Amino acid sequence: MRIQRVSKAVAVGAAMALALSACAPGGPGDSNPTATDSAGGGNGAEVTNSGLADLGDVTTKDDTIKLTVGAPEFISYNGFTPNTYSTYNSSIVDRMFAGFTYFGTDGTIYPNEDLGSFEKISDDPLTIKYTINENAKWSDGTPITTADAVLAWSVQNLNLNKGSKDKPLFSSVSTDLGDTVPKGPQGAADSKEFTVEFKEPDPDWQIQTWMLHPAHVVAEKGGLTTEEFVEAARAGDSKKLEKAAKFWNEGWMTKPGTLPDEADMPVSGPYKLDSWKAGESVTLTANEEYYGTPAATKNLTFRFVEDAAMVQALQNKDLDVINPQPTVDTLAQLQGLGDAVNIQQGDTLTWEHLDFNFAKGNAFTNLELRKAFAMCVPRQQIVDNLIKPLNPEAKVMNAREVFPFQESYQEVVDAAYDGRYDEVDIEGAKKILEEQDAVGTEVRIGYSKPNERRTNEVAAIKSSCDQAGFEVKDAGDPKFFAPGGTQDRGDYEVALFAWAGSGQISSGQNIYGTGKPQNYGKYSNEQVDAEWATLASSLDPAVHKEQTKKIEKLLWDDLYGIPLFAHPGLSASGSDINNVRHTATQDQIVWNAQQWVRAE
């Protein structure tokens, strides 16, 4: 469903191992190659483009498909806060909410005609008209209207605050709409049409988030009518909205295994929450009030399974679809199952990286120490040993906004990076540490455990960087990225994870911009901010490319972090499950789960 405009990136856990959905964008407008795009198993509908398959008339089958995208626990119905926006949580909640667009398998943007339509009615100023399907309604029967768009705008509006933009009223992972669309959605609160007028051109206007959660529920919890909520939001009356915002921030957060009251969590998509077994699974069931193409299968059960146990569970038919971390052993095990399974592989817009912690007092606020660490990280060894066996074409990644398989990649890298960290330089790193009187500097590398590949990455880094004089420690923790966990507290020097993107043009602004919600390491560079502002306010692809070159160079010169590699995609499904298709985007294998169905 949800086509976010957040860093439009999702932090990836198992595939990346984290619980934060944010991610590096796919690059300056490039279209990414797609892998084999059949509907899976040879039994489903054949697909000729990267969008959803045309399955004809669909009748929901009374069946349950069991799947896993990783071990982390479900967090919340509200997956749009910094602490709940993750690939794991999004894989579940995105099945429940409808947006005006969705990403195809290669990052192509498609309209979601179930919800409605949109059209650009002016270039200057950029103005878009949205029309909501007359039959579109929440699962409790309440019509989906302009009021819901106003809530989505309010949530992403830093101008609604507690006296300062540093204290936003809504704790949202995306915060740019208050400035980019100052007036918000225009139209009667109960209408099916609204327009939005952008202050500046927005290259990602098609994937701005104009639908999130039910405005009527949030308003009621705030002691307001829906109309009063809309009026207060448009008037910028933060005081009047405080109670509603508090509910949006916290009201859907419950203890594991306990769902909010059903009346408080209506959905706009094909599935709704049915049950939650703490530490085991979450089950979604078909939304009988859905106004669009119905779900092909009644129940989807998301089990929380570690990577090491996935293949055996698939073989035993305890799972029907798995999305494991790609490893050589996992692929070999899947291939050993023969015709019992279908294996999906291909390029992805997910990339692994090491991010420094720039919080005050951290050792890596010192640029010289960041350089020394970059000198000793054995990037080529990591790719050769852990990635090339899965993708022989894999290479060390030397950019953040474009991928090695994209057409503009080499041009951007040539303009931004001189290759200085391509080869390990232990002596050079050792010299810096001695000059900085920093021999013995502790480097806690945090990541979400269990994750075999990341554990191996940290071991390789430790073996190399300890020789230079660092003291690398494996700080992997199952709760590293959980709310209140190690990453949240800043108790690390380097974070190891991945961003999962979908080809957005300006999403990186939310990761590298000063004070942005997905800038977890507290990085700040005024020139980087300025270059992003130029990129994000242009509709010209030539400007996007040139700005990307400038930004990449600044991030290399400043050593924001160290890119490692693009993730190879790997998933598998039982041969009796139709329509399972690989995607390069952040939605991962569940992107079209509403179309999955067991063969007769």
Side-chain angles (χ1 to χ4, degrees):
M1 143 263 155
R2 182 174 81 211
I3 296 321
Q4 296 93 282
R5 144 85 183 184
V6 196
S7 130
K8 295 157 211 134
V10 220
V12 189
M16 106 175 155
L18 130 108
L20 297 155
S21 188
C23 174
D30 290 325
S31 176
N32 308 310
T34 181
T36 302
D37 220 7
S38 65
N43 299 314
E46 197 68 20
V47 185
T48 58
N49 60 34
S50 71
L52 292 170
D54 181 2
L55 303 183
D57 293 334
V58 176
T59 300
T60 302
K61 185 175 183 178
D62 189 2
D63 188 17
T64 298
I65 290 179
K66 296 164 290 185
L67 65 144
T68 186
V69 295
E73 179 71 81
F74 176 62
I75 306 174
S76 176
Y77 161 95
N78 181 359
F80 211 67
T81 75
N83 286 331
T84 61
Y85 183 60
S86 78
T87 52
Y88 301 118
N89 205 66
S90 293
S91 68
I92 298 172
V93 299
D94 284 0
R95 316 281 71 79
M96 303 190 298
F97 296 101
F100 283 100
T101 57
Y102 71 92
F103 286 117
T105 59
D106 63 354
T108 298
I109 299 170
Y110 290 89
N112 175 16
E113 296 177 354
D114 283 356
L115 178 63
S117 61
F118 55 91
E119 61 176 324
K120 183 167 63 172
I121 59 176
S122 171
D123 283 315
D124 189 17
L126 178 62
T127 307
I128 316 299
K129 178 182 177 181
Y130 290 85
T131 302
I132 302 169
N133 184 331
E134 189 62 34
N135 298 319
K137 58 184 177 182
W138 294 94
S139 56
D140 63 4
T142 304
I144 297 174
T145 66
T146 297
D148 298 303
V150 173
L151 171 62
W153 171 74
S154 302
V155 163
Q156 300 171 82
N157 185 357
L158 275 183
N159 298 316
L160 294 174
N161 55 61
K162 301 174 183 177
S164 166
K165 284 193 175 184
D166 293 330
K167 297 179 180 180
L169 195 63
F170 292 90
S171 180
S172 169
V173 72
S174 178
T175 59
D176 62 347
L177 281 187
D179 290 330
T180 57
V181 184
K183 295 180 181 179
Q186 297 298 297
D190 61 354
S191 70
K192 289 283 188 175
E193 292 184 351
F194 63 93
T195 59
V196 295
E197 181 179 303
F198 288 80
K199 183 178 180 180
E200 302 286 347
D202 182 349
D204 286 318
W205 67 265
Q206 291 187 77
I207 54 175
Q208 285 284 9
T209 304
W210 294 114
M211 283 291 154
L212 276 173
H213 303 114
H216 63 288
V217 171
V218 175
E220 180 184 4
K221 294 297 182 179
L224 305 169
T225 66
T226 303
E227 290 73 17
E228 287 171 340
F229 177 90
V230 170
E231 290 173 3
R234 288 173 170 166
D237 191 343
S238 298
K239 186 68 176 177
K240 196 169 185 178
L241 295 173
E242 277 190 356
K243 188 176 179 182
K246 181 175 176 61
F247 173 79
W248 188 89
N249 294 337
E250 305 171 4
W252 286 305
M253 293 292 292
T254 55
K255 66 179 182 180
T258 301
L259 292 174
D261 290 341
E262 185 173 359
D264 293 344
M265 56 174 195
V267 300
S268 58
Y271 283 100
K272 61 183 179 181
L273 282 166
D274 180 70
S275 62
W276 180 5
K277 296 180 181 179
E280 294 184 19
S281 65
V282 160
T283 294
L284 303 182
T285 193
N287 172 13
E288 295 177 352
E289 299 300 318
Y290 189 56
Y291 43 87
T293 303
T297 298
K298 183 177 180 180
N299 300 313
L300 295 177
T301 294
F302 289 77
R303 292 185 56 201
F304 313 136
V305 179
E306 294 182 7
D307 292 273
M310 289 186 187
V311 176
Q312 186 65 55
L314 181 65
Q315 182 178 15
N316 296 343
K317 297 189 178 298
D318 294 327
L319 288 170
D320 297 302
V321 182
I322 65 174
N323 195 182
Q325 175 187 332
T327 68
V328 180
D329 289 343
T330 300
L331 178 58
Q333 291 169 21
L334 288 171
Q335 291 171 334
L337 299 182
D339 294 340
V341 302
N342 293 317
I343 301 172
Q344 298 86 29
Q345 288 182 273
D347 291 323
T348 74
L349 290 166
T350 297
W351 62 285
E352 192 93 344
H353 50 94
L354 295 157
D355 283 2
F356 293 112
N357 186 347
F358 290 87
K360 186 177 180 180
N362 193 286
F364 283 124
T365 56
N366 182 334
L367 174 59
E368 293 304 307
L369 294 189
R370 299 200 297 275
K371 289 179 180 178
F373 189 71
M375 287 178 180
C376 65
V377 172
R379 296 195 298 156
Q380 188 65 59
Q381 176 190 336
I382 289 171
V383 170
D384 288 346
N385 293 347
L386 302 177
I387 308 303
K388 279 194 174 183
L390 290 159
N391 175 12
E393 303 301 317
K395 59 178 69 176
V396 171
M397 193 162 163
N398 284 322
R400 301 155 184 84
E401 297 299 294
V402 285
F403 286 72
F405 51 82
Q406 292 181 314
E407 184 179 349
S408 64
Y409 173 79
Q410 197 57 52
E411 180 182 347
V412 171
V413 171
D414 288 345
Y417 172 63
D418 62 7
R420 69 182 65 184
Y421 304 114
D422 283 356
E423 302 291 337
V424 170
D425 183 1
I426 298 297
E427 292 305 314
K430 184 182 296 185
K431 181 180 179 181
I432 291 176
L433 286 175
E434 291 171 349
E435 290 174 348
Q436 297 292 314
D437 192 23
V439 174
T441 295
E442 181 179 81
V443 182
R444 295 167 295 172
I445 302 180
Y447 62 99
S448 180
K449 293 180 74 172
N451 190 304
E452 178 184 354
R453 187 171 69 198
R454 293 221 166 90
T455 298
N456 289 335
E457 290 175 51
V458 174
I461 294 169
K462 177 176 177 59
S463 177
S464 180
C465 290
D466 280 9
Q467 296 179 52
F470 288 106
E471 290 186 8
V472 174
K473 293 191 175 181
D474 185 326
D477 184 340
K479 296 183 179 181
F480 186 81
F481 289 101
T486 310
Q487 189 271 343
D488 218 10
R489 300 193 305 270
D491 293 340
Y492 67 97
E493 280 70 50
V494 175
L496 172 61
F497 64 104
W499 285 124
S502 298
Q504 306 92 328
I505 296 167
S506 62
S507 65
Q509 186 176 31
N510 210 45
I511 297 173
Y512 310 111
T514 301
K516 293 294 185 178
Q518 291 177 294
N519 184 349
Y520 303 117
K522 311 301 182 186
Y523 173 74
S524 181
N525 181 311
E526 291 183 359
Q527 190 174 353
V528 170
D529 294 344
E531 302 298 353
W532 269 118
T534 299
L535 185 153
S537 61
S538 173
L539 299 178
D540 186 347
V543 172
H544 302 159
K545 181 181 288 188
E546 291 309 306
Q547 289 304 113
T548 298
K549 293 176 183 178
K550 294 177 183 178
I551 291 166
E552 291 282 8
K553 187 175 190 311
L554 287 168
L555 293 175
W556 268 120
D557 290 347
D558 218 11
L559 270 181
Y560 165 89
I562 306 170
L564 295 173
F565 54 83
H567 281 211
L570 175 65
S571 59
S573 53
S575 58
D576 60 336
I577 306 297
N578 288 342
N579 305 324
V580 180
R581 297 167 60 199
H582 169 77
T583 180
T585 70
Q586 67 188 42
D587 288 331
Q588 300 190 51
I589 197 61
V590 296
W591 78 280
N592 71 331
Q594 71 272 23
Q595 295 194 318
W596 296 353
V597 65
R598 196 180 308 274
E600 297 292 344

